């Protein structure tokens, strides 16, 4: 497993080779403002106490309060959280929202915890960090394996400790508990808006064949949105593997199938594929929507997609980027492609602070122009500097941050 923070810094290095930024600014961006590690003692159902390791990285707040999700995963560690916080800093700048970058996490496999233990753990994370959180300071959200229910527990714990009642400290909360309409599909929908905005410029057909890695919030919503808009999803996977049908999948039937069998395997009229095989299927749009380091120097040469739309964070390593660029396979980078999630999180924060509740239509109507603008400005920067979309997006975001620092 490559170190995601080293990869993030390598991406930055590649950008400063083609565009001048002040040395002081770049030096500042090589370190988070602070990274915090905490230990969280949790009372388990059998009466014992288990201690978990947790993190919050506050990367940069030049544009606004630190903002970024909390990941629960057995492999989560500080370098991953730092990388995710760095990318959040750029993402908010690229989407042009007044938020800085942060990220949090806990090293835990939540599947091994009961609901009560998960609640104790989540409240424990807030107890240790309540001093640094707040609507104008640091605003967390969900990420891998964290849900609206977890955000609700966290918001409740924060309110108990501080008395702060706006609920604007956590986003991604359930509807009726201060959540925003449209937050669920926001990342997938934002990715779809970005794809649509660039479709013609990237030479894609009117109706595309799509392959998706990941069957969680992002992958599943993306699958539904692409299908609703007339595209075909040929293959999709979860952590155990995926399924493929060259004529397209019925996602709603597949959701029911996974609910009853617990897996995607052997879904009727499909072929089982491994996650490695899935990435190499011939298609128009390949969407990694699971984890970092999926497209690497060892498989990039085998990618047969026309473009890659990165809805996961950090799925393509820097060496794979070079191979894909030389093969003329554009990569719509994570910092642009998945910025719809944080944008609707920002809308939720804004609604909480103003005491408003916007309709789903209002939310999507505000999201669309921001995504179109970010996509087109990224494309223009790529063209101006004769480089790939990742470097184009970085240049756009870095310039906006540098102006405010
Ligand atoms: P999730 O926990 O809802 O889903 C993750 C999915 O990935 C699950 O279906 C899981 O089975 C699958 N998975 C796990 N390991 C895998 C593997 N090795 N190969 C294939 N699939 C695997 O998480 P999510 O919220 O959908 O996040 C997915 C990615 O999108 C992450 O990189 C996350 O940082 C990024 N992202 C999420 C949001 C958001 O709003 N949730 C916003 C921006 C970016």
């Amino acid at each position: 497993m490559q170190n995601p923070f080293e990869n993030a810094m390598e991406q930055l290095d590649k950008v400063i080779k083609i565009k001048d930024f002040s040395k002081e600014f770049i030096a500042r961006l090589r370190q988070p403002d602070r990274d915090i590690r905490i230990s969280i003692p949790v009372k388990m159902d059998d009466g014992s106490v288990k201690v978990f390791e947790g993190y919050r990285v506050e990367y940069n707040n030049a544009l606004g309060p630190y903002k970024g999700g909390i990941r629960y995963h057995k492999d989560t560690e500080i370098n991953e959280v730092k990388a995710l916080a760095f990318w959040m800093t750029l993402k908010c700048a690229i989407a042009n929202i007044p938020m800085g970058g942060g990220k949090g996490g806990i090293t835990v496999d939540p599947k091994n915890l009961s609901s009560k233990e998960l609640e104790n753990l989540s409240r424990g994370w807030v107890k240790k960090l309540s001093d640094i959180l707040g609507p104008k300071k640091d605003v967390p959200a969900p990420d891998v394996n964290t849900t609206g229910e977890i955000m609700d527990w966290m918001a409740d714990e924060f309110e108990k400790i501080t008395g702060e009642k706006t609920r604007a400290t956590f986003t991604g909360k359930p509807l009726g508990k201060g959540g925003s309409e449209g937050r669920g599909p926001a990342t997938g929908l934002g990715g779809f808006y970005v794809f649509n905005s660039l479709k013609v410029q990237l030479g894609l057909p009117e109706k595309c064949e799509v392959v998706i890695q990941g069957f969680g919030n992002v992958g599943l919503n993306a699958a539904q949105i692409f299908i609703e808009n007339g595209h075909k999803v040929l293959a999709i996977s979860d952590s155990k593997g995926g399924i493929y049908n060259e004529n397209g999948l019925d996602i709603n039937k597949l959701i029911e199938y996974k609910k009853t069998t617990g897996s995607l395997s052997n879904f009727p009229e499909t072929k089982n594929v491994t996650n490695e095989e899935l990435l190499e299927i011939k298609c128009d749009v390949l969407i990694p929507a699971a984890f970092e380091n999926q497209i690497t120097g060892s498989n990039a040469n085998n990618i047969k997609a026309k473009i890659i739309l990165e809805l996961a964070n950090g799925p393509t390593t820097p060496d794979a980027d070079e191979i894909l660029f030389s093969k003329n396979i554009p990569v719509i980078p994570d910092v642009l492609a998945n910025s719809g999630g944080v944008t609707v999180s920002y809308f939720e924060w804004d609604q909480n602070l103003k005491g408003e509740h916007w309709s789903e239509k209002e939310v999507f109507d505000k999201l669309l122009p921001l995504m179109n603008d970010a996509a087109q400005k990224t494309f223009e920067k790529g063209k101006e500097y004769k480089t790939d979309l990742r470097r184009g997006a970085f240049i756009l975001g870095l310039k906006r941050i540098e102006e405010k620092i």
Side-chain angles (χ1 to χ4, degrees), residues 4 43 50 54 78 87 101 151 156 158 205 223 268 273 278-279 314 330 339 341 350-351 369 395:
K43 182 134 184 271
K50 211 169 156 188
I78 192 68
W87 289 322
M151 293 306 114
D156 180 64
F158 185 74
V273 287
L278 175 127
L279 294 172
S339 63
D350 199 25
Q351 290 170 77
I395 292 171

Side-chain angles (χ1 to χ4, degrees), residues 71-73 84 88 91 103 111 142-146 183-184 186-188 213-220 237-241 258 275-276 288-292 294 311-315 334 338-342 345:
R71 179 173 291 196
Y72 287 2
H73 196 271
L84 291 164
M88 279 303 297
K91 200 177 295 183
K103 202 82 186 189
K111 290 192 190 100
D143 189 67
V144 173
N145 287 327
T146 45
R183 177 62 184 90
T187 306
Q213 184 194 49
F215 201 70
N217 172 297
V218 177
L220 203 46
S237 64
D238 64 16
S239 57
K240 291 178 232 139
K258 185 167 172 177
N275 263 301
E276 292 72 31
F291 273 99
E292 300 96 17
Q294 299 300 304
L311 294 189
N313 284 305
D334 46 11
N338 69 32
S339 63
V342 69
S345 268

Side-chain angles (χ1 to χ4, degrees), residues 250-324:
D250 182 332
I251 288 294
N252 293 329
K253 279 197 185 143
L254 186 58
I255 294 171
E256 285 312 309
Y257 180 81
K258 185 167 172 177
K259 264 190 208 149
T260 44
T261 65
S263 137
L264 303 173
S265 304
N266 304 323
F267 182 59
E269 292 168 35
T270 62
K271 192 177 134 207
N272 292 335
V273 287
T274 64
N275 263 301
E276 292 72 31
E277 288 164 345
L278 175 127
L279 294 172
E280 298 176 10
I281 292 172
K282 188 167 182 284
C283 61
D284 297 308
V285 185
L286 172 63
I287 304 185
F291 273 99
E292 300 96 17
N293 297 334
Q294 299 300 304
I295 303 170
T296 66
S298 10
N299 63 359
N301 264 314
N302 305 333
I303 301 290
K304 294 173 205 75
K306 289 200 185 108
I307 72 151
I308 295 173
L309 179 69
E310 290 187 330
L311 294 189
N313 284 305
T316 312
T317 58
D319 50 345
D321 259 344
E322 293 307 315
I323 297 170
L324 294 166

Side-chain angles (χ1 to χ4, degrees), residues 117-177:
E117 291 166 343
L118 191 62
E119 181 174 349
N120 291 344
L121 177 68
S122 305
R123 288 183 184 273
W125 189 90
V126 177
K127 279 190 188 113
K128 284 281 168 98
L129 293 169
S130 62
D131 281 355
I132 63 157
L133 305 175
K136 297 289 165 75
K137 293 200 277 186
D138 185 342
V139 184
D143 189 67
V144 173
N145 287 327
T146 45
T147 57
E149 187 181 33
I150 293 176
M151 293 306 114
D152 186 40
W153 293 330
M154 289 185 157
D156 180 64
E157 189 63 34
F158 185 74
E159 193 176 320
K160 271 192 195 154
I161 296 169
T162 63
E164 211 281 337
K165 287 193 187 325
T166 63
R167 292 188 80 77
T169 303
F170 292 86
T171 59
K173 302 178 294 294
L175 279 174
K177 305 272 191 150

